[in-house]
Amino acid sequence: MGRGIWCRVTRGRHSKNGFLCSLLFPEAVRRSALALRAFNVELAQIKDSVSQKTIGLMRLQFWKSAVEDIYRADHPAQPVSAELWRAVRKHTLTRRWMLRIISEREKDMEDKAYRNLQELEAYGENTQSSLLYLLLETLGVKNVHADHAASHIGKAQGILTCLRATPYNSSRRKVYLPMDICILRGASQEDFIRGSRDQNARDVIYDIASQAHVHLQHARSFSENVPHAAMPAFLQTVVLEDYLRRVRKVDFDVFHPSLQKRNPMLPLQLYLRSWKKIY
């Protein structure tokens, strides 16, 4: 795998967390896992890297065509596409999951707040859960309990990604937090744009974070029936738990400076969870 792919996987703090998780995959499938992570990063960064929606949609159309070509054409020249081509042929990856990620990213280009928590959960299912289904395929896992766990973990990750990005988005005068919860708690978009640390803003974060916690609990309810081979795909739960623990510690103040710092113990925690084969 070329240096360019590694650079793509490690773009951004949260991408680095995914990279660390991928390093703990079995060696035989690690390259494929990294290729899928790189594909996901390429799609995730489009929205923030373009100044016009049309340009973003054109880039997503490029990836939609690239995925279609991967399943019917010879070895492509683009580095990430080339690695995906290799992974698809090695593991017979399902095209539908890749296309679903792209389609959800296209809808996300509308650049609007989620109307409700269910919309945010659907975003997590269509992006993060789809990636997990693909990672399970690289591991050779075909298990309905693993699929259910992946669904809940992906939803939790989608929710917490929205929370973690709130300070950055607010600095750009953008708020994507579910409107129904903001209305319920009496918090406006302007409150978040000015970085409010008032109780009503904290209550919004509490409600959203609580739903992510519920999804992690549901995911773990399947753990006894999930094969050990699936565990590398679910290591992201360590990263999600870490954020939930830290946001609780600051009483759900999403703008607290400590939430922007990396946890230096996270690599060790990931390794220990991998060694114990639990999620």
Side-chain angles (χ1 to χ4, degrees), residues 9-71:
V9 181
T10 56
R11 285 175 183 168
R13 177 188 311 164
H14 306 309
S15 301
K16 288 184 174 67
N17 291 334
F19 172 69
L20 288 174
C21 293
S22 296
L23 290 181
L24 293 168
F25 271 61
E27 185 176 359
V29 301
R30 192 177 302 145
R31 182 173 177 178
S32 298
L34 287 167
L36 287 168
R37 295 279 187 192
F39 169 67
N40 192 52
V41 170
E42 287 284 336
L43 298 177
Q45 70 177 358
I46 289 174
K47 183 176 179 179
D48 287 337
S49 65
V50 298
S51 57
Q52 297 178 25
K53 172 185 171 182
T54 305
I55 298 173
L57 291 174
M58 288 173 61
R59 291 191 184 179
L60 288 165
Q61 181 59 47
F62 163 81
W63 280 107
K64 187 176 289 185
S65 299
V67 167
E68 295 289 1
D69 288 344
I70 282 169
Y71 281 87

Side-chain angles (χ1 to χ4, degrees), residues 112-114 170 173-179 182 187-195:
K112 297 178 181 178
Y114 298 100
S170 297
R173 301 191 63 79
K174 296 180 182 293
V175 180
Y176 301 110
L177 299 170
M179 290 187 292
C182 291
S188 67
Q189 289 195 340
E190 188 60 35
D191 288 334
F192 288 99
I193 289 172
R194 63 182 176 83

Side-chain angles (χ1 to χ4, degrees), residues 23-227:
L23 290 181
L24 293 168
F25 271 61
E27 185 176 359
V29 301
R30 192 177 302 145
R31 182 173 177 178
S32 298
L34 287 167
L36 287 168
R37 295 279 187 192
F39 169 67
N40 192 52
V41 170
E42 287 284 336
L43 298 177
Q45 70 177 358
I46 289 174
K47 183 176 179 179
D48 287 337
S49 65
V50 298
S51 57
Q52 297 178 25
K53 172 185 171 182
T54 305
I55 298 173
L57 291 174
M58 288 173 61
R59 291 191 184 179
L60 288 165
Q61 181 59 47
F62 163 81
W63 280 107
K64 187 176 289 185
S65 299
V67 167
E68 295 289 1
D69 288 344
I70 282 169
Y71 281 87
R72 62 171 178 249
D74 293 332
H75 194 286
Q78 203 274 350
V80 175
S81 296
E83 289 297 321
L84 280 179
W85 181 89
R86 177 187 171 279
V88 164
R89 276 149 184 76
K90 183 175 182 179
H91 308 287
T92 319
L93 301 179
T94 302
R95 172 170 39 186
R96 179 173 76 257
W97 302 132
M98 293 188 199
L99 293 176
R100 190 164 82 153
I101 296 172
I102 297 171
S103 295
E104 188 64 30
R105 295 292 184 186
E106 286 177 331
K107 288 194 292 184
D108 197 44
M109 289 298 298
E110 292 296 329
D111 208 31
K112 297 178 181 178
Y114 298 100
R115 289 179 297 177
N116 49 53
L117 194 53
Q118 289 71 35
E119 277 194 355
L120 179 52
E121 288 174 321
Y123 165 80
E125 168 67 31
N126 292 332
T127 55
Q128 304 302 333
S129 297
S130 294
L131 176 61
L132 291 176
Y133 300 145
L134 288 164
L135 291 172
L136 287 173
E137 288 183 346
T138 68
L139 294 163
V141 174
K142 294 182 179 180
N143 177 276
V144 66
H145 302 290
D147 290 343
H148 286 318
S151 176
H152 286 292
I153 293 169
K155 288 172 183 173
Q157 186 167 353
I159 291 169
L160 293 182
T161 297
C162 182
L163 288 188
R164 289 186 301 199
T166 295
Y168 169 73
N169 290 328
S170 297
S171 71
R172 300 167 67 238
R173 301 191 63 79
K174 296 180 182 293
V175 180
Y176 301 110
L177 299 170
M179 290 187 292
D180 62 337
I181 296 180
C182 291
I183 293 170
L184 178 66
R185 292 300 188 177
S188 67
Q189 289 195 340
E190 188 60 35
D191 288 334
F192 288 99
I193 289 172
R194 63 182 176 83
S196 173
R197 302 166 87 167
D198 295 339
Q199 190 59 49
N200 56 347
R202 293 173 188 247
D203 288 343
V204 170
I205 303 304
Y206 169 80
D207 287 350
I208 298 172
S210 295
Q211 188 62 18
H213 176 68
V214 167
H215 279 299
L216 287 179
Q217 286 184 315
H218 283 321
R220 291 205 173 92
S221 71
F222 299 102
S223 60
E224 290 186 3
N225 297 304
V226 172

Side-chain angles (χ1 to χ4, degrees), residues 205-269:
I205 303 304
Y206 169 80
D207 287 350
I208 298 172
S210 295
Q211 188 62 18
H213 176 68
V214 167
H215 279 299
L216 287 179
Q217 286 184 315
H218 283 321
R220 291 205 173 92
S221 71
F222 299 102
S223 60
E224 290 186 3
N225 297 304
V226 172
H228 284 168
M231 299 307 166
F234 297 159
L235 285 174
Q236 196 71 20
T237 56
V238 178
V239 180
L240 305 180
E241 283 175 353
D242 177 67
Y243 183 81
L244 283 173
R245 178 186 59 79
R246 291 192 292 135
V247 78
R248 279 196 300 265
K249 189 175 181 180
V250 297
D251 194 24
F252 301 95
D253 174 11
V254 77
F255 296 102
H256 197 281
S258 67
L259 296 178
Q260 304 306 313
K261 298 178 181 178
R262 293 182 62 82
N263 176 4
M265 297 300 293
L266 193 59
L268 177 60
Q269 292 168 356

